[in-house]
Amino acid sequence: MRRQQGMRLDDRYVPYLQMAGLYHLARLNDRWFRLDEALVNAFVERWRPETHTFHMPFGECTITLQDVAYQLGLPVDGRYVSGCLSEFQIYIQGGRPAWMWFQELLGVTPPPNQVQKYAVNCSWFQETFGECPEGADDETVRRYARAYIMMLLGTQLFTDKSVNRIHIRWLPYVAWLEEMGYETFSWLLASSEKGPRVQMWRLRIDRLQDREFIWMPYSSPDELQVVHPEALEPRHMALWRSVTSLIYFAVIEWHQIDRVLPQFGGVQPRPHPALNIDFLMSKDDRGSDRWFPYHLQKWHLH
């Protein structure tokens, strides 16, 4: 998010962000808020990758699709975010070579010293698209809005491990979002200061009692008033309770809300054994020329 602050949210981008279903997320990003890194770190220590849940003294809890919808205003029941990380033009009908697509959508090609494989340095991206010129024509505004969306996806939702590059995997999505609009895709997330404050939070969590934990933070009318209205439609809400796979290119995670039923007002029975998909969690950019909807077809069909 600190990277994203280098690109100002211009009012002229708003129609395109609304069209893409990302305006609520962009508004959150446009207002700086403090992150308690020590608290986040203490929770990360309680995260169990085999169950995708936080193991608390009184049971398990996790980040759910409801959190994604309520806090970020993102749809959770669209097409999965997948495809190919590199030579995607081979698989996309009418696809141009990747850097030709970059030129067409953004109006410029990055210099070679600003490119690492299929990623562009954030610093160049911010210097080039940081502020849309006054009096810019519609096509120029559209290009800057596309760049803003790419930065939003590449740094706030799906950060590269290097934290300083924008992958051009987002070019097809920028084009498709313009064409097909809101709710086209399902945006799912994954996301650590050591010291005395971490130790303080560890101790407080260790002493936390079930009755002190707010299982259903969105149940009050005051909270619902500020939720993105699209998220409250029944067709979205039904999916919050689904046990299913969450797909992001080569990475698959498991939405195991059957282990955290108190977060939805239910009583927790003894959970089923964890589904072991560690081999999917270890995926990286190797084999990035594969078309993952085919290579991981079983999970996409599921």
Side-chain angles (χ1 to χ4, degrees):
M1 292 187 64
R2 293 187 181 95
R3 291 284 179 185
Q4 182 72 16
Q5 299 301 316
M7 297 179 68
R8 184 175 64 87
L9 176 57
D10 193 299
D11 290 341
R12 292 170 290 179
Y13 303 164
V14 172
Y16 302 100
L17 290 165
Q18 290 175 327
M19 190 187 309
L22 298 172
Y23 181 48
H24 187 75
L25 178 68
R27 288 180 60 211
L28 286 178
N29 180 67
D30 196 43
R31 285 157 175 74
W32 185 257
F33 56 88
R34 295 186 63 185
L35 176 67
D36 192 330
E37 296 185 4
L39 175 60
V40 171
N41 199 82
F43 265 94
V44 167
E45 292 175 347
R46 287 185 168 273
W47 180 260
R48 301 301 304 176
E50 65 272 22
T51 59
H52 300 131
T53 56
F54 299 101
H55 282 227
M56 307 295 283
F58 43 79
E60 298 177 55
C61 61
T62 195
I63 302 165
T64 70
L65 295 178
Q66 182 183 30
D67 297 314
V68 175
Y70 273 24
Q71 296 190 32
L72 303 181
L74 297 174
V76 296
D77 60 346
R79 295 170 55 188
Y80 41 73
V81 178
S82 189
C84 184
L85 301 181
S86 56
E87 302 287 351
F88 44 74
Q89 70 273 5
I90 298 173
Y91 304 96
I92 297 172
Q93 185 177 7
R96 284 83 66 202
W99 294 108
M100 184 183 297
W101 208 333
F102 193 103
Q103 172 70 37
E104 289 181 12
L105 289 174
L106 301 181
V108 65
T109 301
N113 63 346
Q114 297 295 329
V115 174
Q116 299 184 46
K117 292 185 178 179
Y118 283 86
V120 182
N121 289 341
C122 276
S123 56
W124 178 87
F125 218 82
Q126 292 171 341
E127 291 170 4
T128 306
F129 301 105
E131 190 166 350
C132 188
E134 292 294 333
D137 58 27
D138 290 344
E139 180 57 30
T140 300
V141 172
R142 188 178 295 113
R143 288 172 175 171
Y144 275 75
R146 290 166 180 160
Y148 188 90
I149 289 173
M150 281 190 66
M151 180 69 85
L152 198 65
L153 296 176
T155 64
Q156 188 160 332
L157 282 186
F158 303 102
T159 304
D160 186 275
K161 291 180 181 179
S162 66
V163 198
N164 62 5
R165 293 193 293 270
I166 304 295
H167 201 287
I168 65 170
R169 70 186 69 171
W170 300 116
L171 290 173
Y173 286 89
V174 171
W176 292 335
L177 284 169
E178 278 193 20
E179 179 181 350
M180 293 183 281
Y182 184 74
E183 294 182 342
T184 299
F185 299 101
S186 173
W187 303 108
L188 306 175
L189 313 186
S191 152
S192 164
E193 169 181 345
K194 300 286 184 181
R197 295 194 65 252
V198 176
Q199 297 173 11
M200 179 271 290
W201 278 120
R202 286 175 185 156
L203 183 60
R204 291 186 64 176
I205 294 175
D206 287 343
R207 293 178 175 177
L208 197 63
Q209 301 294 311
D210 187 3
R211 64 180 181 273
E212 300 172 306
F213 191 82
I214 303 175
W215 287 101
M216 300 177 67
Y218 312 115
S219 56
S220 73
D222 290 342
E223 297 289 343
L224 293 176
Q225 287 180 5
V226 297
V227 171
H228 193 289
E230 294 280 354
L232 298 176
E233 295 184 9
R235 60 195 176 95
H236 297 313
M237 298 168 67
L239 288 176
W240 302 341
R241 296 171 174 83
S242 63
V243 179
T244 186
S245 52
L246 309 182
I247 299 172
Y248 170 63
F249 289 94
V251 177
I252 312 290
E253 290 203 26
W254 200 240
H255 187 239
Q256 299 187 94
I257 60 93
D258 55 322
R259 305 182 70 94
V260 295
L261 292 185
Q263 290 183 236
F264 294 91
V267 177
Q268 183 64 54
R270 183 175 180 176
H272 296 294
L275 180 67
N276 186 350
I277 56 173
D278 288 347
F279 71 100
L280 290 168
M281 293 298 298
S282 64
K283 297 294 183 183
D284 54 23
D285 285 359
R286 286 175 291 184
S288 61
D289 58 339
R290 296 174 176 176
W291 186 247
F292 294 112
Y294 174 79
H295 182 64
L296 300 170
Q297 187 177 54
K298 178 182 74 171
W299 294 96
H300 286 69
L301 291 174
H302 181 90

